Amino acid sequence: KFARSELTLAKLVGKGGFSLVFEVAKIDVDQVFDLSVRQASLRREIAADAIGAHGRPMYAVKMLRDDLMEEEHSKGVIDLAVEARFL
């Protein structure tokens, strides 16, 4: 898991009714978010692999749009939670 502040986003690669999907250009790991030595190691390993051999981003992040009304925002949160359960 990474905090939003640790991610540098690249281009928009998709959008839906509730969400936007961006490529992750870079991950700057901030140790304040490390909960254990094992997690810190794993987070640094993932961050090191953020850009693939061909210079292309390896990860994407999906987040709620910031222009949603309250009811749509609630539906979007539920939608993301259900989707995350399957990943």
Side-chain angles (χ1 to χ4, degrees), residues 4 17 22 34 52 60 72 87:
R4 170 63 185 92
F22 292 91
D34 294 336
E72 288 178 308
L87 299 177

Side-chain angles (χ1 to χ4, degrees), residues 1-9 24-34 40 43-51 59:
K1 295 180 181 182
F2 295 94
R4 170 63 185 92
S5 61
E6 295 176 293
L7 305 177
T8 300
L9 303 182
V24 176
K26 185 178 179 186
I27 303 172
D28 292 308
V29 178
D30 185 341
Q31 68 183 17
V32 74
F33 297 109
D34 294 336
R43 284 168 31 86
R44 280 160 184 69
E45 184 179 317
I46 292 169
D49 293 336
I51 301 297
Y59 305 119

Side-chain angles (χ1 to χ4, degrees), residues 37-74:
V37 172
R38 184 175 184 277
Q39 184 191 45
S41 176
L42 180 58
R43 284 168 31 86
R44 280 160 184 69
E45 184 179 317
I46 292 169
D49 293 336
I51 301 297
H54 300 289
R56 298 271 316 171
M58 297 297 295
Y59 305 119
V61 63
K62 186 173 188 177
M63 59 183 64
L64 287 177
R65 293 184 1 224
D66 59 3
D67 64 339
L68 298 175
M69 300 296 277
E70 185 176 346
E71 185 176 331
E72 288 178 308
H73 184 272
S74 296

